[in-house]
Amino acid sequence: MRHLSSIARPVTALALAAATGVGALALGTAAAGGAQAAPPLRNYVKTIRCDSANPFPAPRVPISVDVWNQVRFPSDGLPGPAIELIASSPRPRGLLPNTGIYTMSTTVNWHNVTTGKRGVVRVPTRAERITWQAVLHPGAGQVNFRITQRIGAMVFVPMVNPQVSTCRGSARA
């Protein structure tokens, strides 16, 4: 019995790593010799706040936007490296138990001040809480960006009582 559990643990760990994608590169590196750790898939830069008024009769929504750079495999499928902005908020508590569904239209205007390159990324989203993800492909250099969130309630039609908020940030690509 001891022999089976000693085999099951590594197999279970390998299956979990393969299913989640976590550690798959590290496992491959260890098998190749283990001398070097795999480079990270992305690098956390900072978190910025981009709070918004709530389109439902409820308090303001706190929104955190995590900024990642050196993203090797961006979620949009285009070649990296890239910068990813991932916004999230807790499930807002409204006057009613299940407040509803939000419709979001997020626009990110970015400017690579090193190269002069500019771009715009638009992200439509619909969810029970404020959440969205934008991928920027600015090339190497210092990148400034402005996030404009348009958040509305989904009440039979999208974007009822839209609320607009803007915030700014920067990262090195």
Side-chain angles (χ1 to χ4, degrees):
M1 196 66 159
R2 179 175 290 244
H3 177 68
L4 288 177
S5 66
S6 65
I7 292 173
R9 270 189 219 119
V11 170
T12 303
L14 184 58
L16 181 61
T20 61
V22 176
L25 289 177
L27 288 173
T29 304
Q36 296 178 354
L41 297 177
R42 61 185 182 174
N43 178 57
Y44 172 76
V45 178
K46 61 186 163 188
T47 299
I48 59 176
R49 289 294 295 262
C50 202
D51 298 351
S52 175
N54 199 325
F56 290 100
R60 232 174 134 68
V61 182
I63 302 169
S64 298
V65 179
D66 292 333
V67 180
W68 301 83
N69 69 0
Q70 301 170 13
V71 180
R72 291 186 13 210
F73 303 105
S75 62
D76 63 1
L78 296 174
I83 294 174
E84 282 186 338
L85 307 174
I86 303 172
S88 63
S89 71
R91 175 81 169 116
R93 300 187 198 286
L95 298 176
L96 305 172
N98 292 322
T99 303
I101 296 184
Y102 292 92
T103 302
M104 295 143 277
S105 176
T106 306
T107 302
V108 180
N109 292 281
W110 57 265
H111 176 217
N112 185 327
V113 295
T114 305
T115 64
K117 187 175 176 183
R118 293 177 183 271
V120 177
V121 176
R122 290 181 180 83
V123 183
T125 313
R126 186 174 296 157
E128 291 183 350
R129 63 186 182 92
I130 311 300
T131 182
W132 52 264
Q133 180 173 350
V135 180
L136 315 179
H137 292 277
Q142 182 65 32
V143 180
N144 296 334
F145 52 86
R146 184 182 75 238
I147 301 166
T148 304
Q149 301 175 109
R150 187 170 182 241
I151 302 169
M154 176 76 181
V155 184
F156 303 112
V157 295
M159 218 41 92
V160 173
N161 191 25
Q163 304 296 314
V164 178
S165 61
T166 303
C167 56
R168 297 176 184 274
S170 64
R172 183 159 281 287

